[in-house]
Amino acid sequence: MTTSKKIMPDTIDLFGMKIHAVDMPAAVSTVLEWCQEPRQGACRYVVTPNVDHTVMYQSNVALQQAYDKASLVLADGAPVVMASRLLRKSLPERVAGSDLVPAIFEASAEQPLRAFLLGAAPGVADRAAAVIEQRWPGVEIVGTLSPPLGFEHDERENERILQSVADCQPDLVLVGLGAPKQELWISRHAEKLEAKAALCIGATIDFLAGEKNRSPRWMQRLGLEWVHRMASEPSRLAKRYLRDAWVFPQLVWREWRGC
Ligand code: UDP
């Protein structure tokens, strides 16, 4: 696991994952610190487990390997943080990718940032870029790319993405390809990705573009963001969340029993 020499946050073991016990300000300063340092060997990257990722992680070996190589593992899901407290392995707070990105951009007033948006449907990343540059003038979106369906299996397409990023020399790549595609892609290409840091951020590009709406704050606080997402995309997400609602409590129970 690649970690910053200056900041080495503690991890807790939860559901087989090693999750960094950091709050939002510490996560922001860690990523900003990477963005100021010269790139060392591979692009450092951040993964953000929520309930669905946690369930996938149990049986997906490639995802487990991608997590092992991540420099920062942040608890995105409120139920993951609640479970950590129940299991007396208390994580300080939820650090969702969709909150981390604006918090990092907020700091660009003092530390200008060059960012590249990878993912979302055609046109969406460009709309997000316009919103970002207007809201946070310290952020320059140096490139956007919406790879075609199935790109991850096409070596020429992967090379094209890596070349586009190399041409733009961003500090930060926001990878919004959905899980586990984004984690597997970044883990496979981190050595060649010419950026200082990358964040796996799911639908954050859609949220920034106004393409999808996040749940109201009160739902986020109560750990109900998934209910809002399921209601807004029932045909895609209902089966997934029903499976998660069945499996996740069993994982908590197993961890509680220590087996
Ligand atoms: N996405 C993409 N390319 C793909 C698959 C997904 O750009 O091959 C984008 C999709 O357009 C959306 C995001 O990935 O912007 C999916 O985010 P979400 O958090 O909904 O993913 P999940 O992990 O929940 O499926």
Side-chain angles (χ1 to χ4, degrees):
M1 188 181 284
T2 321
T3 38
S4 167
K5 284 199 186 80
K6 287 174 209 148
I7 301 177
M8 294 264 281
D10 291 337
T11 58
I12 62 147
D13 289 312
L14 200 58
F15 311 121
M17 305 179 289
K18 288 197 183 311
I19 304 181
H20 287 94
V22 291
D23 59 11
M24 181 63 81
V28 169
S29 57
T30 301
V31 174
L32 289 175
E33 187 184 330
W34 297 343
C35 290
Q36 281 186 318
E37 291 174 357
R39 187 179 170 284
Q40 303 168 339
C43 176
R44 288 162 161 148
Y45 65 89
V46 180
V47 295
T48 60
N50 60 21
V51 168
D52 186 50
H53 304 174
T54 303
V55 169
M56 269 191 277
Y57 181 92
Q58 306 308 308
S59 56
N60 187 328
V61 175
L63 185 61
Q64 292 166 7
Q65 288 165 349
Y67 267 51
D68 282 347
K69 284 170 60 186
S71 293
L72 205 49
V73 180
L74 301 172
D76 183 300
V80 174
V81 177
M82 289 173 189
S84 81
R85 291 182 181 153
L86 191 72
L87 296 162
R88 302 195 194 294
K89 298 180 178 188
S90 229
L91 287 165
E93 65 173 337
R94 178 180 185 217
V95 188
S98 301
D99 296 321
L100 178 64
V101 172
I104 290 172
F105 287 170
E106 208 52 54
S108 67
E110 272 141 44
Q111 182 179 330
L113 272 179
R114 295 165 59 78
F116 188 103
L117 308 183
L118 175 63
V124 175
D126 289 332
R127 289 205 292 285
V131 171
I132 292 165
E133 290 188 334
Q134 212 232 335
R135 196 177 299 167
W136 296 284
V139 182
E140 184 186 353
I141 302 298
V142 291
T144 64
L145 197 59
S146 168
L149 216 64
F151 75 95
E152 68 275 21
H153 307 299
D154 180 341
E155 284 320 308
R156 277 215 313 242
E157 204 49 61
N158 287 320
E159 286 303 324
R160 189 173 78 90
I161 297 170
L162 293 169
Q163 190 57 54
S164 301
V165 173
D167 290 344
C168 297
Q169 291 290 306
D171 300 314
L172 192 61
V173 179
L174 303 186
V175 189
L177 299 168
K181 193 180 290 188
Q182 57 200 10
E183 290 82 3
L184 303 193
W185 191 86
I186 195 75
S187 144
R188 186 162 162 233
H189 299 288
E191 276 77 18
K192 286 188 174 175
L193 191 71
E194 290 194 28
K196 313 258 182 66
L199 312 180
C200 296
I201 41 91
T204 304
I205 298 172
D206 296 288
F207 296 142
L208 287 165
E211 190 72 13
K212 292 180 185 172
N213 291 321
R214 281 192 79 183
S215 66
R217 279 275 163 200
W218 68 266
M219 289 185 97
Q220 293 176 32
R221 270 198 301 274
L222 291 176
L224 296 174
E225 192 157 21
W226 63 276
V227 176
H228 183 269
R229 292 223 49 203
M230 185 165 81
S232 51
E233 293 179 78
S235 55
R236 185 169 82 92
L237 298 178
K239 205 168 142 206
R240 177 199 296 184
Y241 283 134
L242 288 175
R243 179 202 61 186
D244 292 349
W246 171 247
V247 176
F248 188 69
Q250 295 178 49
L251 295 179
V252 177
W253 175 246
R254 280 213 325 246
E255 192 105 354
W256 176 262
R257 298 282 309 272
C259 40

Short mmCIF file of all heavy atoms in Angstrom, two decimals, residues 143-196:
data_model
loop_
_atom_site.label_atom_id
_atom_site.label_comp_id
_atom_site.label_asym_id
_atom_site.label_seq_id
_atom_site.Cartn_x
_atom_site.Cartn_y
_atom_site.Cartn_z
N GLY A 143 -9.11 18.51 -18.63
CA GLY A 143 -9.59 17.55 -19.62
C GLY A 143 -10.79 16.79 -19.10
O GLY A 143 -10.98 16.67 -17.88
N THR A 144 -11.61 16.30 -20.03
CA THR A 144 -12.74 15.43 -19.67
C THR A 144 -12.78 14.31 -20.70
O THR A 144 -12.39 14.50 -21.85
CB THR A 144 -14.10 16.17 -19.72
OG1 THR A 144 -14.34 16.56 -21.07
CG2 THR A 144 -14.15 17.39 -18.83
N LEU A 145 -13.25 13.17 -20.26
CA LEU A 145 -13.36 12.04 -21.19
C LEU A 145 -14.48 11.11 -20.73
O LEU A 145 -14.54 10.76 -19.55
CB LEU A 145 -12.03 11.28 -21.23
CG LEU A 145 -11.79 10.34 -22.40
CD1 LEU A 145 -11.86 11.08 -23.73
CD2 LEU A 145 -10.41 9.71 -22.26
N SER A 146 -15.35 10.77 -21.67
CA SER A 146 -16.41 9.82 -21.37
C SER A 146 -16.16 8.58 -22.21
O SER A 146 -16.49 8.54 -23.39
CB SER A 146 -17.75 10.47 -21.76
OG SER A 146 -18.75 9.50 -21.75
N PRO A 147 -15.52 7.55 -21.62
CA PRO A 147 -15.14 6.39 -22.43
C PRO A 147 -16.37 5.61 -22.89
O PRO A 147 -17.37 5.56 -22.17
CB PRO A 147 -14.28 5.55 -21.49
CG PRO A 147 -14.21 6.24 -20.19
CD PRO A 147 -15.15 7.41 -20.21
N PRO A 148 -16.29 5.00 -24.08
CA PRO A 148 -17.44 4.25 -24.58
C PRO A 148 -17.68 2.96 -23.79
O PRO A 148 -16.77 2.49 -23.09
CB PRO A 148 -17.04 3.91 -26.02
CG PRO A 148 -15.56 3.96 -26.04
CD PRO A 148 -15.14 4.95 -24.99
N LEU A 149 -18.88 2.43 -23.93
CA LEU A 149 -19.24 1.20 -23.22
C LEU A 149 -18.23 0.08 -23.51
O LEU A 149 -17.84 -0.10 -24.66
CB LEU A 149 -20.64 0.77 -23.70
CG LEU A 149 -21.55 0.15 -22.65
CD1 LEU A 149 -21.85 1.18 -21.56
CD2 LEU A 149 -22.83 -0.36 -23.30
N GLY A 150 -17.79 -0.62 -22.51
CA GLY A 150 -16.87 -1.75 -22.70
C GLY A 150 -15.43 -1.35 -22.91
O GLY A 150 -14.58 -2.19 -23.19
N PHE A 151 -15.11 -0.05 -22.76
CA PHE A 151 -13.75 0.44 -23.02
C PHE A 151 -12.69 -0.30 -22.23
O PHE A 151 -11.56 -0.47 -22.67
CB PHE A 151 -13.66 1.95 -22.68
CG PHE A 151 -13.62 2.19 -21.20
CD1 PHE A 151 -12.40 2.35 -20.54
CD2 PHE A 151 -14.78 2.21 -20.45
CE1 PHE A 151 -12.35 2.54 -19.17
CE2 PHE A 151 -14.74 2.40 -19.08
CZ PHE A 151 -13.53 2.56 -18.44
N GLU A 152 -13.08 -0.75 -21.02
CA GLU A 152 -12.07 -1.31 -20.12
C GLU A 152 -11.43 -2.59 -20.67
O GLU A 152 -10.35 -2.98 -20.26
CB GLU A 152 -12.66 -1.54 -18.71
CG GLU A 152 -13.72 -2.61 -18.58
CD GLU A 152 -15.13 -2.11 -18.93
OE1 GLU A 152 -15.26 -1.08 -19.62
OE2 GLU A 152 -16.09 -2.78 -18.51
N HIS A 153 -12.14 -3.24 -21.65
CA HIS A 153 -11.58 -4.48 -22.23
C HIS A 153 -10.81 -4.20 -23.52
O HIS A 153 -10.35 -5.13 -24.17
CB HIS A 153 -12.72 -5.46 -22.55
CG HIS A 153 -13.62 -5.71 -21.37
ND1 HIS A 153 -13.16 -6.27 -20.21
CD2 HIS A 153 -14.94 -5.45 -21.17
CE1 HIS A 153 -14.16 -6.34 -19.33
NE2 HIS A 153 -15.25 -5.84 -19.89
N ASP A 154 -10.70 -2.93 -23.90
CA ASP A 154 -10.10 -2.57 -25.18
C ASP A 154 -8.77 -1.84 -24.91
O ASP A 154 -8.78 -0.70 -24.44
CB ASP A 154 -11.11 -1.67 -25.93
CG ASP A 154 -10.59 -1.22 -27.28
OD1 ASP A 154 -9.36 -1.29 -27.50
OD2 ASP A 154 -11.41 -0.79 -28.10
N GLU A 155 -7.67 -2.52 -25.19
CA GLU A 155 -6.36 -1.95 -24.84
C GLU A 155 -6.10 -0.62 -25.53
O GLU A 155 -5.51 0.29 -24.95
CB GLU A 155 -5.22 -2.94 -25.15
CG GLU A 155 -5.13 -4.08 -24.14
CD GLU A 155 -5.36 -3.64 -22.69
OE1 GLU A 155 -4.70 -2.69 -22.23
OE2 GLU A 155 -6.23 -4.23 -22.01
N ARG A 156 -6.56 -0.50 -26.79
CA ARG A 156 -6.33 0.76 -27.51
C ARG A 156 -7.06 1.91 -26.83
O ARG A 156 -6.57 3.03 -26.72
CB ARG A 156 -6.80 0.63 -28.96
CG ARG A 156 -5.76 -0.03 -29.86
CD ARG A 156 -5.82 0.58 -31.24
NE ARG A 156 -7.20 0.65 -31.70
CZ ARG A 156 -7.69 0.03 -32.76
NH1 ARG A 156 -6.90 -0.70 -33.48
NH2 ARG A 156 -8.95 0.13 -33.11
N GLU A 157 -8.28 1.60 -26.36
CA GLU A 157 -9.09 2.62 -25.67
C GLU A 157 -8.42 3.01 -24.34
O GLU A 157 -8.35 4.19 -23.99
CB GLU A 157 -10.49 2.02 -25.43
CG GLU A 157 -11.60 2.99 -25.26
CD GLU A 157 -11.68 4.08 -26.32
OE1 GLU A 157 -11.84 3.79 -27.52
OE2 GLU A 157 -11.58 5.24 -25.91
N ASN A 158 -7.90 2.01 -23.63
CA ASN A 158 -7.21 2.31 -22.37
C ASN A 158 -5.98 3.17 -22.62
O ASN A 158 -5.72 4.12 -21.87
CB ASN A 158 -6.81 1.00 -21.66
CG ASN A 158 -8.01 0.30 -21.07
OD1 ASN A 158 -8.89 0.94 -20.52
ND2 ASN A 158 -8.07 -1.02 -21.19
N GLU A 159 -5.23 2.85 -23.68
CA GLU A 159 -4.05 3.65 -24.03
C GLU A 159 -4.46 5.08 -24.36
O GLU A 159 -3.78 6.05 -24.01
CB GLU A 159 -3.29 3.04 -25.22
CG GLU A 159 -2.50 1.79 -24.87
CD GLU A 159 -1.49 2.00 -23.75
OE1 GLU A 159 -0.89 3.08 -23.67
OE2 GLU A 159 -1.34 1.08 -22.91
N ARG A 160 -5.59 5.20 -25.07
CA ARG A 160 -6.06 6.53 -25.46
C ARG A 160 -6.38 7.38 -24.22
O ARG A 160 -6.06 8.56 -24.15
CB ARG A 160 -7.32 6.38 -26.35
CG ARG A 160 -7.79 7.67 -27.00
CD ARG A 160 -8.92 7.39 -27.97
NE ARG A 160 -10.20 7.19 -27.30
CZ ARG A 160 -11.07 8.16 -27.02
NH1 ARG A 160 -10.79 9.39 -27.34
NH2 ARG A 160 -12.20 7.89 -26.41
N ILE A 161 -7.02 6.74 -23.24
CA ILE A 161 -7.35 7.46 -21.99
C ILE A 161 -6.06 7.89 -21.29
O ILE A 161 -5.92 9.05 -20.87
CB ILE A 161 -8.20 6.57 -21.06
CG1 ILE A 161 -9.54 6.22 -21.71
CG2 ILE A 161 -8.41 7.24 -19.71
CD1 ILE A 161 -10.33 5.15 -20.98
N LEU A 162 -5.11 6.95 -21.18
CA LEU A 162 -3.86 7.26 -20.48
C LEU A 162 -3.12 8.39 -21.19
O LEU A 162 -2.56 9.28 -20.54
CB LEU A 162 -2.98 6.00 -20.38
CG LEU A 162 -3.55 4.89 -19.49
CD1 LEU A 162 -2.76 3.59 -19.67
CD2 LEU A 162 -3.53 5.30 -18.02
N GLN A 163 -3.16 8.37 -22.52
CA GLN A 163 -2.49 9.42 -23.29
C GLN A 163 -3.17 10.77 -23.09
O GLN A 163 -2.51 11.80 -22.93
CB GLN A 163 -2.47 9.04 -24.79
CG GLN A 163 -1.58 9.93 -25.64
CD GLN A 163 -0.12 9.97 -25.14
OE1 GLN A 163 0.51 8.92 -24.98
NE2 GLN A 163 0.40 11.17 -24.86
N SER A 164 -4.52 10.76 -23.07
CA SER A 164 -5.25 12.02 -22.86
C SER A 164 -4.89 12.63 -21.51
O SER A 164 -4.69 13.84 -21.40
CB SER A 164 -6.77 11.80 -22.87
OG SER A 164 -7.17 11.26 -24.06
N VAL A 165 -4.81 11.77 -20.50
CA VAL A 165 -4.45 12.28 -19.17
C VAL A 165 -3.01 12.79 -19.20
O VAL A 165 -2.72 13.89 -18.70
CB VAL A 165 -4.63 11.17 -18.09
CG1 VAL A 165 -4.09 11.64 -16.74
CG2 VAL A 165 -6.11 10.79 -17.96
N ALA A 166 -2.10 12.03 -19.81
CA ALA A 166 -0.69 12.45 -19.89
C ALA A 166 -0.57 13.79 -20.61
O ALA A 166 0.21 14.65 -20.20
CB ALA A 166 0.13 11.38 -20.60
N ASP A 167 -1.36 13.99 -21.65
CA ASP A 167 -1.29 15.25 -22.40
C ASP A 167 -1.71 16.44 -21.52
O ASP A 167 -1.27 17.56 -21.74
CB ASP A 167 -2.23 15.21 -23.62
CG ASP A 167 -1.71 14.25 -24.68
OD1 ASP A 167 -0.52 13.88 -24.62
OD2 ASP A 167 -2.50 13.86 -25.57
N CYS A 168 -2.61 16.17 -20.57
CA CYS A 168 -3.16 17.27 -19.75
C CYS A 168 -2.40 17.50 -18.45
O CYS A 168 -2.55 18.54 -17.81
CB CYS A 168 -4.62 16.98 -19.40
SG CYS A 168 -5.68 16.89 -20.85
N GLN A 169 -1.62 16.49 -18.01
CA GLN A 169 -0.83 16.59 -16.77
C GLN A 169 -1.64 17.16 -15.59
O GLN A 169 -1.26 18.19 -15.00
CB GLN A 169 0.42 17.45 -17.02
CG GLN A 169 1.44 16.79 -17.94
CD GLN A 169 2.13 15.59 -17.29
OE1 GLN A 169 2.69 15.68 -16.21
NE2 GLN A 169 2.06 14.43 -17.93
N PRO A 170 -2.73 16.50 -15.22
CA PRO A 170 -3.51 17.00 -14.08
C PRO A 170 -2.85 16.63 -12.75
O PRO A 170 -2.03 15.71 -12.68
CB PRO A 170 -4.83 16.23 -14.21
CG PRO A 170 -4.45 14.96 -14.89
CD PRO A 170 -3.28 15.28 -15.79
N ASP A 171 -3.22 17.36 -11.70
CA ASP A 171 -2.85 16.93 -10.35
C ASP A 171 -3.74 15.77 -9.94
O ASP A 171 -3.30 14.81 -9.33
CB ASP A 171 -3.08 18.07 -9.35
CG ASP A 171 -2.25 19.30 -9.67
OD1 ASP A 171 -1.05 19.14 -9.95
OD2 ASP A 171 -2.83 20.41 -9.68
N LEU A 172 -5.01 15.91 -10.30
CA LEU A 172 -6.05 15.02 -9.76
C LEU A 172 -6.94 14.49 -10.88
O LEU A 172 -7.37 15.26 -11.74
CB LEU A 172 -6.90 15.89 -8.82
CG LEU A 172 -7.88 15.26 -7.88
CD1 LEU A 172 -7.16 14.33 -6.91
CD2 LEU A 172 -8.62 16.35 -7.09
N VAL A 173 -7.18 13.16 -10.87
CA VAL A 173 -8.16 12.60 -11.82
C VAL A 173 -9.36 12.12 -11.02
O VAL A 173 -9.21 11.36 -10.05
CB VAL A 173 -7.56 11.41 -12.61
CG1 VAL A 173 -8.60 10.84 -13.57
CG2 VAL A 173 -6.32 11.84 -13.39
N LEU A 174 -10.54 12.58 -11.39
CA LEU A 174 -11.76 12.09 -10.76
C LEU A 174 -12.32 10.99 -11.64
O LEU A 174 -12.67 11.23 -12.80
CB LEU A 174 -12.80 13.22 -10.63
CG LEU A 174 -12.35 14.47 -9.87
CD1 LEU A 174 -13.51 15.43 -9.69
CD2 LEU A 174 -11.76 14.10 -8.51
N VAL A 175 -12.36 9.77 -11.09
CA VAL A 175 -12.76 8.60 -11.88
C VAL A 175 -14.18 8.21 -11.49
O VAL A 175 -14.42 7.66 -10.42
CB VAL A 175 -11.79 7.42 -11.64
CG1 VAL A 175 -12.07 6.29 -12.62
CG2 VAL A 175 -10.34 7.86 -11.74
N GLY A 176 -15.13 8.52 -12.36
CA GLY A 176 -16.54 8.24 -12.08
C GLY A 176 -17.08 7.21 -13.05
O GLY A 176 -17.78 7.54 -14.00
N LEU A 177 -16.73 5.95 -12.82
CA LEU A 177 -17.12 4.87 -13.74
C LEU A 177 -18.02 3.85 -13.06
O LEU A 177 -18.33 2.82 -13.65
CB LEU A 177 -15.87 4.16 -14.27
CG LEU A 177 -14.88 5.02 -15.06
CD1 LEU A 177 -13.58 4.26 -15.28
CD2 LEU A 177 -15.48 5.43 -16.40
N GLY A 178 -18.41 4.11 -11.81
CA GLY A 178 -19.20 3.14 -11.06
C GLY A 178 -18.31 2.04 -10.50
O GLY A 178 -17.20 1.83 -10.98
N ALA A 179 -18.80 1.38 -9.47
CA ALA A 179 -18.02 0.32 -8.81
C ALA A 179 -18.49 -1.05 -9.30
O ALA A 179 -19.68 -1.24 -9.52
CB ALA A 179 -18.20 0.41 -7.30
N PRO A 180 -17.60 -2.02 -9.50
CA PRO A 180 -16.17 -1.96 -9.18
C PRO A 180 -15.30 -1.52 -10.37
O PRO A 180 -14.08 -1.59 -10.28
CB PRO A 180 -15.85 -3.41 -8.82
CG PRO A 180 -16.74 -4.21 -9.73
CD PRO A 180 -18.01 -3.40 -9.88
N LYS A 181 -15.94 -1.07 -11.47
CA LYS A 181 -15.16 -0.76 -12.67
C LYS A 181 -14.08 0.29 -12.39
O LYS A 181 -12.94 0.16 -12.81
CB LYS A 181 -16.11 -0.25 -13.77
CG LYS A 181 -15.46 -0.20 -15.12
CD LYS A 181 -16.41 0.31 -16.19
CE LYS A 181 -17.52 -0.68 -16.48
NZ LYS A 181 -18.33 -0.27 -17.65
N GLN A 182 -14.46 1.36 -11.67
CA GLN A 182 -13.49 2.44 -11.44
C GLN A 182 -12.30 1.96 -10.60
O GLN A 182 -11.15 2.31 -10.89
CB GLN A 182 -14.19 3.64 -10.79
CG GLN A 182 -14.87 3.32 -9.49
CD GLN A 182 -15.94 4.31 -9.05
OE1 GLN A 182 -16.33 5.18 -9.79
NE2 GLN A 182 -16.41 4.17 -7.82
N GLU A 183 -12.57 1.15 -9.58
CA GLU A 183 -11.48 0.67 -8.72
C GLU A 183 -10.56 -0.28 -9.50
O GLU A 183 -9.34 -0.22 -9.37
CB GLU A 183 -12.04 -0.07 -7.48
CG GLU A 183 -12.74 0.84 -6.46
CD GLU A 183 -14.19 1.16 -6.83
OE1 GLU A 183 -14.69 0.63 -7.85
OE2 GLU A 183 -14.82 1.96 -6.11
N LEU A 184 -11.17 -1.17 -10.31
CA LEU A 184 -10.35 -2.14 -11.06
C LEU A 184 -9.54 -1.41 -12.12
O LEU A 184 -8.38 -1.73 -12.37
CB LEU A 184 -11.24 -3.21 -11.72
CG LEU A 184 -12.13 -4.02 -10.78
CD1 LEU A 184 -12.71 -5.24 -11.49
CD2 LEU A 184 -11.40 -4.46 -9.53
N TRP A 185 -10.16 -0.38 -12.75
CA TRP A 185 -9.45 0.34 -13.80
C TRP A 185 -8.25 1.09 -13.23
O TRP A 185 -7.13 0.99 -13.75
CB TRP A 185 -10.40 1.32 -14.53
CG TRP A 185 -9.75 1.85 -15.78
CD1 TRP A 185 -9.77 1.28 -17.02
CD2 TRP A 185 -8.95 3.04 -15.88
NE1 TRP A 185 -9.02 2.04 -17.88
CE2 TRP A 185 -8.51 3.12 -17.22
CE3 TRP A 185 -8.56 4.02 -14.98
CZ2 TRP A 185 -7.70 4.15 -17.69
CZ3 TRP A 185 -7.74 5.06 -15.44
CH2 TRP A 185 -7.33 5.12 -16.78
N ILE A 186 -8.47 1.79 -12.13
CA ILE A 186 -7.38 2.60 -11.58
C ILE A 186 -6.28 1.69 -11.02
O ILE A 186 -5.08 1.98 -11.17
CB ILE A 186 -7.90 3.60 -10.52
CG1 ILE A 186 -6.86 4.67 -10.21
CG2 ILE A 186 -8.34 2.97 -9.26
CD1 ILE A 186 -6.72 5.67 -11.27
N SER A 187 -6.66 0.60 -10.42
CA SER A 187 -5.66 -0.32 -9.87
C SER A 187 -4.78 -0.88 -10.99
O SER A 187 -3.57 -0.99 -10.86
CB SER A 187 -6.38 -1.41 -9.09
OG SER A 187 -5.75 -2.62 -9.21
N ARG A 188 -5.41 -1.17 -12.12
CA ARG A 188 -4.67 -1.73 -13.25
C ARG A 188 -3.78 -0.71 -13.94
O ARG A 188 -2.72 -1.05 -14.48
CB ARG A 188 -5.70 -2.31 -14.23
CG ARG A 188 -5.07 -3.05 -15.34
CD ARG A 188 -6.01 -3.98 -16.08
NE ARG A 188 -5.37 -4.26 -17.35
CZ ARG A 188 -5.92 -4.11 -18.51
NH1 ARG A 188 -7.19 -3.73 -18.60
NH2 ARG A 188 -5.25 -4.35 -19.61
N HIS A 189 -4.19 0.56 -13.92
CA HIS A 189 -3.47 1.55 -14.73
C HIS A 189 -2.73 2.62 -13.91
O HIS A 189 -2.20 3.56 -14.49
CB HIS A 189 -4.45 2.22 -15.70
CG HIS A 189 -5.07 1.25 -16.65
ND1 HIS A 189 -4.37 0.68 -17.69
CD2 HIS A 189 -6.31 0.70 -16.71
CE1 HIS A 189 -5.15 -0.15 -18.36
NE2 HIS A 189 -6.33 -0.16 -17.77
N ALA A 190 -2.69 2.46 -12.59
CA ALA A 190 -2.09 3.51 -11.74
C ALA A 190 -0.64 3.81 -12.11
O ALA A 190 -0.22 4.97 -12.05
CB ALA A 190 -2.18 3.12 -10.26
N GLU A 191 0.11 2.77 -12.49
CA GLU A 191 1.53 2.99 -12.82
C GLU A 191 1.67 3.92 -14.02
O GLU A 191 2.62 4.69 -14.10
CB GLU A 191 2.24 1.66 -13.13
CG GLU A 191 2.73 0.91 -11.88
CD GLU A 191 1.59 0.21 -11.16
OE1 GLU A 191 0.52 0.02 -11.78
OE2 GLU A 191 1.76 -0.13 -9.97
N LYS A 192 0.73 3.80 -14.96
CA LYS A 192 0.86 4.59 -16.19
C LYS A 192 0.06 5.89 -16.16
O LYS A 192 0.14 6.68 -17.10
CB LYS A 192 0.39 3.76 -17.39
CG LYS A 192 1.36 2.67 -17.80
CD LYS A 192 0.85 2.09 -19.10
CE LYS A 192 1.79 1.10 -19.71
NZ LYS A 192 1.16 0.50 -20.90
N LEU A 193 -0.75 6.06 -15.14
CA LEU A 193 -1.61 7.25 -15.09
C LEU A 193 -0.80 8.46 -14.62
O LEU A 193 -0.36 8.50 -13.46
CB LEU A 193 -2.80 7.01 -14.16
CG LEU A 193 -3.90 8.05 -14.22
CD1 LEU A 193 -4.69 7.97 -15.53
CD2 LEU A 193 -4.87 7.89 -13.05
N GLU A 194 -0.60 9.41 -15.51
CA GLU A 194 0.28 10.54 -15.19
C GLU A 194 -0.47 11.65 -14.46
O GLU A 194 -0.78 12.71 -15.02
CB GLU A 194 0.96 11.06 -16.46
CG GLU A 194 1.98 10.07 -16.97
CD GLU A 194 2.91 10.66 -18.01
OE1 GLU A 194 3.14 11.88 -17.98
OE2 GLU A 194 3.39 9.89 -18.85
N ALA A 195 -0.78 11.34 -13.20
CA ALA A 195 -1.43 12.31 -12.31
C ALA A 195 -0.89 12.03 -10.92
O ALA A 195 -0.36 10.95 -10.66
CB ALA A 195 -2.94 12.13 -12.35
N LYS A 196 -1.04 13.00 -10.03
CA LYS A 196 -0.52 12.80 -8.67
C LYS A 196 -1.48 11.96 -7.83
O LYS A 196 -1.06 11.24 -6.94
CB LYS A 196 -0.34 14.16 -7.99
CG LYS A 196 0.37 15.21 -8.86
CD LYS A 196 1.79 15.36 -8.46
CE LYS A 196 2.52 16.41 -9.25
NZ LYS A 196 2.05 17.77 -9.01
#
